[in-house]
Structures are given as C-alpha cells and as structure tokens.
Amino acid sequence: MPGFLKGLNRDTKVKAIEVSQGIQLIESDHDEREENGGLSLNDNHHIDPHTWVSPKSAIVMAEHIRDSLIETDPTHQSGYEERYAAIQKKLTDLDQKFSSQLSAVPHHKVVVSHQAFGYLCRDYGLEQHAIMGLSPDAEPRAKDLVQLTNLVKQEGIHYIFFEELVSDRLAKTLASETGAKVIVLNPVEGLTKQQEQNGDNYFTLMEKNLQNLILALQ
C-alpha cells in the first residue's frame, strides 16, 4: 500500500486506484543506499513511480482516473467524459509536440539531479543520467560523481538539470567541475509560490520542460 494511504482506517471508503496500470514500469538500477544502524541497505530493484512526467504516460493515467470517477459516480458520467475528452486532447497535443521536437535535437543525453525523468526519456528517445537515485534526498557516492563528471566532459554536455523544490547544490557542483551551466527540468511534483501566483499547471510546466530540453540538447 502506498505510504500516504497507510494512515487510513480499515473501514475507510477511500478506494485506491492504480492509475499507472498498463504503463510499462521502469525498474531502477540506481544503487539506493540508506544508513540504518550502521548497516548499508542496498536494493537495486526499485520501481520508478514518476510515470506522470511523460505526457504519453499521463494520457493512460487520465483514462484510468476518468473510469474510476465514472464507476464511483455514474450519475455524472457525461461530465467526466467531457472533461476527459478535453484533457486527453491537450495531452495528445503535448505528446506529439514532445515527439516531433525532441526527435530533431542532435544530442540525447541529459544529466539530471535525481532519477525522476526515466519515463520522459524512454518515451522520447533520450538517455537519463542522474546524480541521485529515485529519492532526491539520497547522497550520491563519490565514484558516481566522478563518472558523471567524466561523462559531461567527454560528451560535451553543456547543461546540468536541477529542480526548484530540492537543493541544487550537487547540480551546481557538477556544473562548476565541468564548465556546464544549470537549467531547470521540473518533475511536476509541486509548485513554488511564484508558480502558484503565475497560475502554472502541468501543461505550462511541461511546455517549459520541453523548451529547456531543446535548449540543452542543441
């Protein structure tokens, strides 16, 4: 059961829906390490949960959300169908835009702060290299930073991606070591206060992601 549902009572009427059903999930091979009582716990088989970062996956998720709402509240089926049709069109347009524009960039390797962009990279022909694993709070090993430094220099990568809601310290350190610049790639996990004031949403953030990817991969 997902962590945010564990506090619910057994007799709760809240129903958990697996909206990622039908999406080919990515199994992370990044070495996640946690210190626990002096023991290093390693598990190389974490499932990447960041399905929504790919518009292609978001289309599937929206369909499951529509179906679950109709099942729960069939009286308002027509309203759910109408709103789904509108968002499905926007997601399809966004998916096509990502596909066409990213297929034209000359480079395909992206260096990101944490491993949140696997589905986006898989669906649009990119290759993700992460400073940290699936958790943005994990500290990378020294040898991983050395390997990334070598990769950035050898491949002539000009931009290191960071996220606005987590520390950019390691991304800036890697950029300083390699002469690269830093630029935002948003995993759409939340909004800054400025983004809230601007009225940003999934679509505006993903449009900005696309523009930053195009800039970085030229």
Side-chain angles (χ1 to χ4, degrees):
M1 178 181 290
F4 64 87
L5 293 177
K6 289 182 179 178
L8 295 175
N9 296 327
R10 289 186 177 181
D11 59 350
T12 182
K13 295 182 179 180
V14 174
K15 183 178 180 180
I17 304 296
E18 185 183 350
V19 295
S20 61
Q21 186 176 1
I23 298 170
Q24 184 178 353
L25 299 179
I26 294 174
E27 197 171 88
S28 170
D29 59 359
H30 200 102
D31 193 4
E32 302 280 348
R33 294 171 181 266
E34 293 180 329
E35 292 299 323
N36 184 12
L39 297 176
S40 178
L41 304 179
N42 299 313
D43 183 356
N44 294 329
H45 301 286
H46 298 275
I47 298 298
D48 184 348
H50 302 90
T51 49
W52 64 88
V53 185
S54 165
K56 197 177 297 293
S57 295
I59 294 171
V60 177
M61 298 171 77
E63 183 178 356
H64 287 311
I65 292 170
R66 177 204 61 188
D67 292 345
S68 64
L69 289 171
I70 291 172
E71 180 183 353
T72 303
D73 183 24
T75 304
H76 297 97
Q77 177 173 347
S78 61
Y80 296 131
E81 293 278 10
E82 181 180 343
R83 286 189 286 275
Y84 166 75
I87 199 168
Q88 193 264 354
K89 183 182 185 307
K90 292 178 70 174
L91 286 170
T92 299
D93 290 346
L94 187 64
D95 170 44
Q96 292 174 350
K97 195 171 183 180
F98 265 76
S99 294
S100 63
Q101 296 192 20
L102 290 178
S103 66
V105 297
H107 303 288
H108 299 92
K109 291 183 172 66
V110 295
V111 177
V112 298
S113 56
H114 96 280
Q115 205 174 44
F117 304 94
Y119 295 95
L120 185 150
C121 288
R122 180 188 69 186
D123 290 343
Y124 303 105
L126 305 180
E127 185 178 312
Q128 172 182 244
H129 296 272
I131 298 173
M132 294 169 283
L134 293 175
S135 169
D137 300 320
E139 285 291 326
R141 297 171 299 178
K143 74 172 187 178
D144 293 332
L145 287 176
V146 171
Q147 290 174 351
L148 276 176
T149 299
N150 292 336
L151 173 75
V152 172
K153 291 179 177 178
Q154 291 168 5
E155 297 290 335
I157 294 172
H158 300 299
Y159 288 90
I160 309 298
F161 289 104
F162 74 97
E163 302 163 31
E164 294 156 302
L165 294 178
V166 299
S167 172
D168 60 1
R169 177 179 60 85
L170 289 172
K172 286 185 173 179
T173 297
L174 181 58
S176 176
E177 290 286 332
T178 59
K181 300 176 182 178
V182 292
I183 192 171
V184 171
L185 194 61
N186 198 313
V188 201
E189 294 177 329
L191 296 173
T192 65
K193 289 184 178 180
Q194 186 61 54
Q195 287 165 344
E196 289 180 6
Q197 293 172 2
N198 293 343
D200 278 319
N201 55 41
Y202 178 86
F203 295 99
T204 62
L205 295 179
M206 290 302 294
E207 287 279 1
K208 291 174 185 175
N209 279 347
L210 178 57
Q211 295 310 310
N212 285 351
L213 283 167
I214 292 170
L215 172 64
L217 296 172
Q218 293 300 323

